Amino acid sequence: MQLEQYIRTRLETKPICLMTHVIAGYPSYSDNLRELEIMAHHNVDLVEVQMPFSEPIADGPLFTKANQEALKRGATVNRYFEFFKQAAAQFDFPLLMMGYYNPVLRMGEMRFLERLREAGGQGFILPDLPIEEGHSLYERAKQQQLAPISFMTPTTSDDRLQQLGKAGSGFLYVVARRGVTGQHTSFGESFHTYMQRCRQATSLPLAVGFGIAKKEDIDFLIGQAEIAVIGTAVLKIWESDGADGLKKFLQALRG
């Protein structure tokens, strides 16, 4: 089942989908698998699996530290795809590669797509790749039924939103505010206007991320977005309270 159809099918039985995040190799691959087991048990719908990178420019301090620690502990591109394949075989929810373009460039776009497809990936998120520079990658991905996820931001013009809507596949990632991951997001009337602008640019599902951290945030997004993205908050809980903390956190999110 293609990614967009999967999301719409999930929405037949719930008001909003939940996408979470793990950084491959941090704190360890065994920790990652345990996180994914808990996410599967608590009905998470999609998961971003981040490929560690030395300069994760869209990420805040916690994710930056985690990327650097994973690399220090021996994370490699080959190990990433080995882990990804293991996780895709073990869990039913779609896994998306999240990372940065430099490793893709080094291995070659076609080889990257082949490896991601062979590992069981459903798509990829590359926040540092503009759609103009990613045109060939995006088109090749769609031919292989991999979804290239485009980003919409509060500073994006209406014309640009239209371009992003046409380039995207699977869903569009709506960045809730300016800045990097991990900071608190306050929602207000301006957010409603922003979401309306994004909605007018595409018929694809919209996923809202950056600063989504609690059930109240998810409740606020119901009716405005199809997916709520929780990343930093999950890692914070794992570092502070481990598996039991993550169980309680995900249970609370679902109410």
Side-chain angles (χ1 to χ4, degrees):
M1 184 185 299
Q2 293 188 350
L3 187 58
E4 179 185 358
Q5 184 56 50
Y6 167 83
I7 293 166
R8 297 203 183 282
T9 299
R10 299 288 282 184
L11 290 169
E12 293 175 1
T13 57
K14 60 180 64 176
I16 193 167
C17 291
L18 181 62
M19 182 164 77
T20 52
H21 186 110
V22 298
I23 297 174
Y26 183 83
S28 68
Y29 294 106
S30 59
D31 279 289
N32 295 153
L33 287 175
R34 184 64 180 126
E35 289 174 277
L36 292 171
E37 287 173 359
I38 294 168
M39 292 169 185
H41 181 74
H42 286 86
N43 207 25
V44 165
D45 301 286
L46 311 92
V47 180
E48 301 173 88
V49 180
Q50 184 163 354
M51 178 185 288
F53 184 59
S54 57
E55 299 177 65
I57 59 174
D59 291 315
L62 183 62
F63 273 12
T64 298
K65 181 201 77 170
N67 273 262
Q68 292 168 349
E69 286 296 321
L71 292 170
K72 288 179 183 177
R73 297 174 190 184
T76 65
V77 170
N78 288 339
R79 185 67 182 91
Y80 173 84
F81 282 112
E82 289 171 3
F83 169 76
F84 198 111
K85 186 173 185 178
Q86 178 184 4
Q90 187 169 338
F91 303 103
D92 291 334
F93 42 52
L95 299 180
L96 302 173
M97 178 273 181
M98 183 271 164
Y100 294 86
Y101 184 63
N102 185 270
V104 176
L105 179 64
R106 287 179 63 88
M107 78 179 76
E109 291 183 352
M110 286 304 298
R111 181 59 180 147
F112 164 71
L113 294 174
E114 289 170 1
R115 296 191 74 175
L116 182 59
R117 182 169 47 80
E118 290 168 359
Q122 298 294 309
F124 56 87
I125 301 171
L126 298 171
D128 64 338
L129 182 65
I131 54 173
E132 293 84 1
E133 300 297 327
H135 177 74
S136 63
L137 177 63
Y138 278 32
E139 291 307 310
R140 289 169 176 170
K142 291 174 184 177
Q143 291 169 8
Q144 298 194 41
Q145 297 191 342
L146 292 170
I149 308 302
S150 299
F151 279 79
M152 295 174 161
T153 74
T155 57
T156 306
S157 69
D158 288 342
D159 287 345
R160 181 69 171 175
L161 289 176
Q162 292 290 333
Q163 295 173 25
L164 293 166
K166 292 176 182 177
S169 179
F171 63 89
L172 273 295
Y173 195 122
V174 177
V175 177
R177 50 158 176 75
R178 300 181 186 183
V180 295
T181 62
Q183 300 174 10
H184 176 67
T185 296
S186 297
F187 296 109
E189 187 59 37
S190 61
F191 182 80
H192 292 290
T193 303
Y194 169 41
M195 288 298 294
Q196 289 172 358
R197 292 175 57 230
C198 295
R199 186 69 68 188
Q200 290 169 0
T202 184
S203 60
L204 290 171
L206 299 180
V208 176
F210 283 49
I212 312 304
K214 54 186 185 296
K215 185 178 185 298
E216 289 78 7
D217 296 333
I218 295 175
D219 290 344
F220 177 84
L221 293 175
I222 292 173
Q224 299 190 80
E226 283 73 32
I227 305 167
V229 185
I230 297 193
T232 301
V234 167
L235 183 54
K236 284 181 179 178
I237 291 292
W238 187 263
E239 288 194 337
S240 63
D241 299 313
D244 288 342
L246 183 58
K247 292 175 186 177
K248 293 175 182 177
F249 177 68
L250 292 177
Q251 187 174 15
L253 290 181
R254 287 302 193 187

